[in-house]
Amino acid sequence: MPRLPPVHGLVDPEEAHIYPQAVDHAGITAAPLHLLNVTFEQGDAQVHPFPRAGSTS
C-alpha cells in the first residue's frame, strides 16, 4: 500500500500521483448520487431530464 505523507496545503505532482493508488488500494468508491432519501441510478437523468438553465419550457 502506498504511504501517504502528511500534507498541509497544496501538493506537487510527485506527491499527488500516490493518492489515487492509495484510494484504489483501500477500496474506496464514490457514494451513489442521491437527494435526501431518493437514490438515482445510472441513466435516470435521461428518463427524467432537468430543464436547462434559462429554458422556458
Side-chain angles (χ1 to χ4, degrees):
M1 176 160 101
R3 183 166 171 78
L4 298 177
V7 175
H8 292 102
L10 301 174
V11 296
D12 57 30
E14 292 77 30
E15 292 175 324
H17 83 278
I18 62 174
Y19 284 87
Q21 296 170 6
V23 168
D24 288 342
H25 185 78
I28 298 171
T29 60
L33 177 62
H34 66 283
L35 295 172
L36 297 176
N37 56 354
V38 177
T39 302
F40 296 88
E41 300 297 327
Q42 185 174 3
D44 283 350
Q46 287 80 25
V47 175
H48 306 287
F50 294 100
R52 296 179 73 116
S55 173
T56 57
S57 58

